[in-house]
Amino acid sequence: MISELSKSSVRIGDPQKVEQILNAMKRDGPNSVQVISDFDMTLTRFAFNGRRCPTCHNILDNSKLISEDCKEQLKELLNTYYPIEIDSTRTVEDKLPLMVEWWTKAHTLLVQQKIKKDLLAIVVRESDAMLREGYQFFFDHLNEQNIPLLIFSAGIGDVLEEVIKQAEVFHPNVKVFSNYMDFDDTGTLRAFKGELIHTYNKREGALLNTGHFQELHERHNVLLFGDSIGDLTMADGVQNMENILKIGYLNDKVDERMQSYLSSYDIVLVKDETMEVPNAILRHVTSTQ
């Protein structure tokens, strides 16, 4: 078994099942694998030195591109809706319309700010956004092994891509499904494109993008990384799936959410700010020994 799985931050509900899946994936080899991952608080850090790190939305919300008045309104939305998003006593059905409400209101506020496209890179550079420790190996190794990485995010695609570009790991094997900004001829934000993706409708997003999964129909083994229960549906568009290993980062409200994470994810990483376990799994699955 992989030694990193005995780290103190690791919880596994059914070790035998995890071992079986890992061995099957190793036997089938890297050409059978695809990786599907959330972005905010999964590939990026939740906190650093005791301070919360920003999500894609936070990067904009905290930036000089947003007026003080707008910042206040966005903060009020966060304080209203975030507790609902992570409330383990409420059903997903109950949360759905409220998440749509939150994202729609937030995007409407952002559009009113007339954000300029060419300032996004500066805002990302000045932010405290950080990919998790060990990200370089994760992105580089997937690229070297020609394993597709699908990043599925309820954040803002333009900001997310900029974070990965600035870390110099936006390789050709990376594809992003997210909320993208629509800029006018002067490079000013005028709307958001396409269907809204929020925390709890990633399944619909997966099914809308079946073309992507059809291209990968021979890759029937999936490594899924997320940090919320909503992320578990990201692989619902995958065809001919044989094995899926679900790894979940439990960053916040650990005690009250532990049980629901353990019953949903195969491996739960508790307050772990690194990519150590994902990287060890990748090494195992792609090694020829």
Side-chain angles (χ1 to χ4, degrees):
M1 198 58 165
I2 299 165
S3 61
E4 283 81 357
L5 293 180
S6 51
K7 271 179 73 175
S8 61
S9 61
V10 177
R11 305 282 185 285
I12 299 177
D14 184 346
Q16 205 175 346
K17 178 191 171 193
V18 167
E19 190 157 12
Q20 280 171 347
I21 295 171
L22 284 169
N23 289 339
M25 288 189 177
K26 184 181 171 76
R27 192 180 57 241
D28 294 346
N31 292 340
S32 72
V33 177
Q34 57 176 304
V35 177
I36 302 176
S37 181
D38 170 54
F39 186 70
D40 288 319
M41 312 301 153
T42 298
L43 296 178
T44 63
R45 286 176 182 264
F46 179 78
F48 182 66
N49 288 342
R51 284 182 56 195
R52 281 290 305 267
C53 291
T55 64
C56 292
H57 277 101
N58 298 152
I59 289 172
L60 278 186
D61 299 355
N62 304 336
S63 76
K64 59 190 178 192
L65 305 184
I66 306 290
S67 70
E68 288 308 313
D69 179 44
C70 181
K71 281 181 185 172
E72 276 308 306
Q73 292 180 65
L74 288 165
K75 197 172 180 180
E76 275 172 38
L77 291 177
L78 179 71
N79 294 340
T80 304
Y81 292 101
Y82 180 64
I84 297 170
E85 181 190 335
I86 65 167
D87 185 347
S88 51
T89 64
R90 298 176 81 145
T91 65
V92 170
E93 289 70 31
D94 181 26
K95 294 177 183 184
L96 271 174
L98 297 164
M99 294 301 104
V100 172
E101 211 172 89
W102 179 12
W103 260 253
T104 306
K105 285 177 182 174
H107 286 175
T108 303
L109 284 169
L110 291 175
V111 169
Q112 289 167 2
Q113 296 297 295
K114 297 187 164 36
I115 291 165
K116 293 285 189 190
K117 184 177 186 174
D118 56 5
L119 296 177
L120 289 179
I122 298 164
V123 165
V124 169
R125 195 166 289 119
E126 290 174 351
S127 78
D128 294 327
M130 298 172 80
L131 293 167
R132 288 189 190 269
E133 188 185 321
Y135 74 86
Q136 195 96 39
F137 176 86
F138 181 81
F139 281 91
D140 290 352
H141 191 67
L142 287 174
N143 187 45
E144 285 156 17
Q145 297 285 332
N146 294 315
I147 296 173
L149 168 59
L150 169 62
I151 299 174
F152 215 132
S153 174
I156 299 170
D158 311 76
V159 176
L160 182 167
E161 286 194 8
E162 194 55 46
V163 171
I164 303 176
K165 281 175 187 161
Q166 291 186 16
E168 298 182 357
V169 287
F170 200 160
H171 300 311
N173 65 318
V174 177
K175 188 170 173 102
V176 180
F177 293 165
S178 189
N179 298 301
Y180 278 90
M181 296 172 150
D182 188 13
F183 296 96
D184 65 17
D185 298 343
T186 67
T188 305
L189 177 63
R190 63 175 173 195
F192 278 81
K193 296 176 188 170
E195 297 291 321
L196 175 70
I197 299 176
H198 58 75
T199 317
Y200 289 109
N201 73 341
K202 289 187 172 180
R203 178 172 194 274
E204 286 72 18
L207 298 178
L208 277 173
N209 288 285
T210 48
H212 167 80
F213 293 112
Q214 269 162 357
E215 286 170 33
L216 305 178
H217 66 93
E218 285 166 15
R219 293 185 177 265
H220 47 257
N221 290 329
V222 176
L223 291 171
L224 182 144
F225 299 96
D227 78 314
S228 86
I229 299 301
D231 290 333
L232 293 159
T233 62
M234 294 188 298
D236 285 8
V238 176
Q239 292 154 7
N240 318 322
M241 182 148 51
E242 285 182 18
N243 298 289
I244 180 165
L245 188 67
K246 295 173 282 208
I247 298 104
Y249 281 94
L250 179 47
N251 300 307
D252 197 14
K253 302 269 189 298
V254 170
D255 293 340
E256 65 193 63
R257 296 202 285 169
M258 179 63 83
Q259 209 36 59
S260 68
Y261 274 58
L262 270 177
S263 57
S264 312
Y265 281 103
D266 300 306
I267 299 172
V268 178
L269 304 176
V270 181
K271 290 188 176 292
D272 183 340
E273 294 294 350
T274 75
M275 297 298 285
E276 245 177 83
V277 170
N279 287 345
I281 289 169
L282 284 182
R283 278 193 194 95
H284 177 80
V285 169
T286 58
S287 81
T288 47
Q289 266 72 52

